[in-house]
């Protein structure tokens, strides 16, 4: 009884906003959304964590074990060593994106996004909360795939700081992409279009399975316009110390797109596009 | 110093895409502590007003303030004062009852321990504690309604807005929800509700606004509103039909069958005189009721009048 009364006396304070209250509220709201999103992908792990583990294992078996020895070394590394970073990055990109797009669209579809929209939770907290889910799942999947990779190759990390920062920033970037897709999506088909027709081709052509040095000049030039190439190569540099592109350019590109998509996401939330009538 | 209105709308307008005008300059004040009904036919603009106050609908013009906090300039302060029970179920069907309420508390910044205490209290009060671990989509319709009320109350808002809270709810549950709403209103929560059940509005609310075609056409307390009724029709259960109807002609009697009689009284007449006139003919009145809900009668007349003036 005492506990309830003590807790209740807190209400008078939380009804009167000041900077401290605002910060406390924001932090609790962020933790709530982030945990809700994390709990969601953990609860349905059969749909979220297991499939990429199986798919990527098949990539390692088929491309690395069966076909790889016939291809021979790539950029001075065995083919298996060469594709490991790209395959990890591919799983991070697709899982970060698909987690946010499916969760946010699901919340819109079931209308429970309204729970958050009517609350005093600021837009940037909503965005960061959803990104936390996407980044969490992306990195968790990346870790699972990395562990699987150790069964097929001698996985060593050349530069841990670059490896972690690139994978984290890439996960943030594609979580933002998923968020924007979720905002605009009106039906379930809309959340599959971008991953199927844009994301997957760009990832496959982003140097996951080959070095662009193998390509003719024209196609090498075309490949340089693919932003995923920079992320895969920067990540590969973190593992192997070898890359087709300058690392600084990769960081600048990733940060530029994070800034761009982040600002656009906040703009969409502010305008209530697809959310408020 | 006067306390600010719980809700204040000034010249609120809304035109939806496609040019549909939903609100045409609504001014409305809801006093702190009020139990307020917003009535109107389908498409009148009730849900648009609630949508704008809850920020799910963007207004075209005008201003909204909640307990003195402007919704545009101080959204954080204004929104934390509001609890919303929408018309449609809008919770995550895959989450448990308790988790839904806890999440809502989190969105309003309540620390976990405090949220857990509040969630238990409101789930118990609304008879949902035994279902706290049930996945929400498995609940009955009535339970889902109560879950939305518990969710709206967990941050203990000073203004509770309910959009058709008892739609599709059986009579017993409706009555228990009325009791609950009366209780929290008595404890200080300002309540605004929209309803199609005029009996509900008459029974619960002290103040009523009627909206039609995006305009407020009446805004007064229930007693003043009912005083506008110039006549009332009653159905009397009587021991036998009166022999001399002409003696009762002032009451426009109609014998419905041997045991019931319909009469119409204007404001200058009273039931005591009517009973005396019936008694003089040896007719005993066993029971009586209004022919239609009084508010309903008035509501229909007002809408007819507004339609004729338009």
């Amino acid at each position: 009884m005492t506990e309830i009364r003590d807790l209740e006396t807190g209400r008078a304070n939380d009804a009167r906003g000041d900077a401290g209250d605002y910060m406390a509220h924001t932090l609790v709201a962020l933790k709530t959304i982030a945990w809700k999103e994390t709990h969601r992908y953990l609860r349905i792990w059969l749909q979220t964590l297991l499939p990429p583990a199986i798919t990527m294992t098949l990539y390692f078996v088929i491309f690395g074990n069966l076909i790889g020895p016939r291809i021979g070394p790539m950029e001075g590394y065995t083919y298996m060593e060469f594709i490991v970073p790209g395959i990890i990055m591919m799983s991070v990109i697709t899982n970060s994106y698909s987690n946010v797009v499916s969760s946010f669209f699901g919340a819109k579809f079931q209308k429970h996004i309204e729970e958050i929209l009517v609350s005093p939770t600021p837009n940037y907290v909503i965005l960061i909360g959803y990104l936390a889910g996407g980044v969490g799942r992306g990195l968790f999947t990346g870790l699972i795939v990395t562990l699987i990779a150790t069964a097929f190759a001698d996985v060593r990390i050349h530069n841990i700081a670059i490896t972690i920062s690139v994978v984290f920033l890439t996960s943030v970037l594609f979580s933002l992409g998923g968020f924007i897709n979720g905002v605009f999506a009106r039906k379930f088909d809309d959340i599959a279009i971008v991953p199927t027709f844009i994301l997957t081709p760009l990832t496959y052509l982003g140097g996951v399975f080959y070095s662009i040095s193998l390509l003719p000049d024209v196609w090498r030039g075309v490949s340089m316009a693919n932003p995923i190439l920079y992320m895969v190569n920067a990540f590969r540099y973190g593992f192997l110390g070898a890359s087709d592109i300058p690392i600084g350019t990769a960081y600048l590109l990733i940060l530029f797109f994070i800034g761009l998509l982040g600002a656009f996401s906040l703009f969409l939330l502010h305008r209530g596009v697809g959310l408020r009538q | 110093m006067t306390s600010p209105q719980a809700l204040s709308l000034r010249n609120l307008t809304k035109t939806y895409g496609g040019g549909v005008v939903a609100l045409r300059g609504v001014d409305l004040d809801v006093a702190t502590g009020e139990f307020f009904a917003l009535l109107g036919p389908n498409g009148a603009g009730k849900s648009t007003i609630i949508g704008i106050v809850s920020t799910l609908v963007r207004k075209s013009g005008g201003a909204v303030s909640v307990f003195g906090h402007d919704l545009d300039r101080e959204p954080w302060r204004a929104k934390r004062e509001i609890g919303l029970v929408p018309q449609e179920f809008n919770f995550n069907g895959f989450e448990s009852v308790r988790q839904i309420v806890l999440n809502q508390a989190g969105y309003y910044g309540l620390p976990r321990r405090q949220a857990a205490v509040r969630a238990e209290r409101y789930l118990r009060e609304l008879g949902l504690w035994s279902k706290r671990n049930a996945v929400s989509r498995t609940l009955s319709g009535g339970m889902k309604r109560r879950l939305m009320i518990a969710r709206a109350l967990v941050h203990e808002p000073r203004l509770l807005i309910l959009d058709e809270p008892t739609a599709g709810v059986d009579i017993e549950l409706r009555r228990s929800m009325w009791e609950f709403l009366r209780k929290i209103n008595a404890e200080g929560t300002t309540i605004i509700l929209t309803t199609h059940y005029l009996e509900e509005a008459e029974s619960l609310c002290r103040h009523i606004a009627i909206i039609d075609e995006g305009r407020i056409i009446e805004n007064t307390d229930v007693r003043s509103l009912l005083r506008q009724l110039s006549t009332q029709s009653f159905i009397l259960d009587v021991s036998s039909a009166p022999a001399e109807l002409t003696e009762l002609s002032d009451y426009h009697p109609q014998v419905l069958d041997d045991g019931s009689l319909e009469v119409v009284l204007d404001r200058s007449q009273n039931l005591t005189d009517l009973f005396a006139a019936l008694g003089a003919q040896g007719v005993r009145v066993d029971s009586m009721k209004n022919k239609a809900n009084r508010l309903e009668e008035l509501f229909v007349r007002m809408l007819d009048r507004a339609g004729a003036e338009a």
Side-chain angles (χ1 to χ4, degrees), chain B residues 157-203:
Chain B
R158 290 201 286 165
L159 172 62
L160 180 66
I161 301 174
L162 304 108
D163 196 2
E164 306 276 353
T166 56
V169 169
D170 67 45
I171 293 170
E172 191 183 353
L173 180 56
R174 190 182 306 162
R175 302 262 169 199
S176 71
M177 280 168 69
W178 289 2
E179 282 312 306
F180 180 75
L181 294 176
R182 278 196 192 98
K183 178 173 151 294
I184 59 169
N185 177 244
E187 288 168 358
T189 306
T190 306
I191 297 179
I192 299 174
L193 69 82
T194 73
T195 180
H196 275 112
Y197 302 112
L198 297 179
E199 179 201 358
E200 183 165 273
E202 187 178 343
S203 165

Side-chain angles (χ1 to χ4, degrees), chain B residues 132-153:
Chain B
R132 62 189 177 280
N133 295 320
V135 177
S136 63
R137 68 176 186 279
T138 63
L139 299 180
S140 68
M143 286 177 179
K144 286 176 180 169
R145 290 253 167 244
R146 282 181 279 157
L147 169 57
M148 293 210 295
I149 295 176
R151 184 185 64 177
L153 287 172

Side-chain angles (χ1 to χ4, degrees), chain A residues 17-237:
Chain A
D18 58 17
D21 270 353
Y22 178 81
M23 286 306 297
H25 162 244
T26 300
L27 209 60
V28 172
L30 178 59
K31 275 164 61 181
T32 303
I33 300 173
W35 169 242
K36 179 173 74 78
E37 287 304 295
T38 305
H39 186 244
R40 191 194 76 89
Y41 73 73
L42 292 176
R43 189 182 63 218
I44 53 172
W45 63 274
L46 272 170
Q47 299 169 47
T48 53
L49 301 176
L50 190 61
I54 292 172
T55 309
M56 298 308 158
T57 303
L58 291 173
Y59 277 124
F60 288 134
V61 170
I62 295 167
F63 290 104
N65 262 10
L66 302 180
I67 300 175
R70 293 170 186 248
I71 294 175
M74 183 89 58
E75 299 288 310
Y77 298 92
T78 66
Y79 189 64
M80 179 66 94
E81 284 173 338
F82 183 83
I83 64 169
V84 162
I87 287 178
I88 295 169
M89 189 55 109
M90 189 161 73
S91 67
V92 171
I93 287 173
T94 50
N95 281 279
S96 301
Y97 190 95
S98 61
N99 191 75
V100 182
V101 71
S102 58
S103 178
F104 195 76
F105 178 71
K108 264 176 58 175
F109 187 77
Q110 285 194 69
K111 290 181 176 286
H112 61 82
I113 190 65
E114 291 176 2
E115 291 177 338
I116 303 177
L117 295 178
V118 302
S119 79
T121 307
N123 288 336
Y124 70 89
V125 173
I126 298 174
L127 181 62
I128 296 171
Y130 272 91
L131 295 187
V135 172
R137 177 171 153 193
L139 297 184
F140 198 174
T141 311
L143 182 65
I144 291 170
V145 175
T146 306
L147 292 175
I148 292 170
T150 58
F152 295 91
D154 182 17
V155 178
R156 280 170 296 183
I157 295 178
H158 168 73
N159 187 318
I160 187 84
I162 288 178
T163 305
I164 290 175
S165 60
V166 169
V167 76
F168 175 77
L169 291 173
T170 304
S171 185
V172 170
L173 176 56
F174 284 92
S175 296
L176 281 167
F179 185 85
I180 292 167
N181 190 172
V183 167
F184 282 110
R186 288 167 179 261
K187 51 190 189 300
F188 279 101
D189 288 349
D190 296 342
I191 66 173
I193 288 172
V194 175
T196 307
F197 296 107
I198 299 175
L199 214 53
T200 305
L202 284 181
T203 310
Y204 275 75
L205 298 172
V208 171
F209 297 105
Y210 57 86
S211 164
I212 58 166
S213 63
L214 299 177
L215 300 175
D217 284 351
V218 176
W219 290 111
R220 195 181 306 159
V222 171
S223 292
M224 295 298 277
N226 177 0
I228 292 178
L229 175 85
Y230 295 81
M231 297 161 207
V232 168
N233 270 280
F235 191 57
R236 181 172 290 134
Y237 180 84

Side-chain angles (χ1 to χ4, degrees), chain A residues 3-4 7-8 11 14-18 21-22 25 28-29 32-33 36 43 110-112 114-121 270-271 276-277, chain B residues 14 16 54-58 76-77 79-80 88 90-95 100 103-104 106-110 113-114 117-118 121 151 156 158:
Chain A
E3 181 182 59
I4 292 174
L7 291 170
E8 285 312 287
R11 183 178 182 264
D14 68 31
R16 297 284 173 268
D18 58 17
D21 270 353
Y22 178 81
H25 162 244
V28 172
T32 303
I33 300 173
K36 179 173 74 78
R43 189 182 63 218
Q110 285 194 69
K111 290 181 176 286
H112 61 82
E114 291 176 2
E115 291 177 338
I116 303 177
L117 295 178
V118 302
S119 79
T121 307
H270 176 69
R271 292 296 303 268
R276 304 180 202 266
Q277 296 178 60
Chain B
K14 174 64 185 178
Y16 286 103
S54 61
T55 71
L56 292 174
V57 174
R58 294 165 63 83
W76 183 68
R77 286 192 173 87
K79 289 171 91 173
R80 64 190 314 189
E88 289 179 45
N90 70 341
F91 44 75
N92 188 337
F94 298 98
E95 281 178 343
I100 286 168
N103 282 348
Q104 186 78 359
Y107 304 147
Y108 284 82
L110 260 70
R113 268 184 74 219
Q114 193 178 4
V117 172
R118 296 258 187 100
R121 181 199 305 161
R151 184 185 64 177
E156 298 196 338
R158 290 201 286 165

Side-chain angles (χ1 to χ4, degrees), chain B residues 235-238 284-289:
Chain B
I235 307 287
L236 309 179
D237 290 327
V238 290
R284 190 183 70 243
V285 178
D286 293 325
S287 65
M288 61 175 282
K289 64 177 182 185

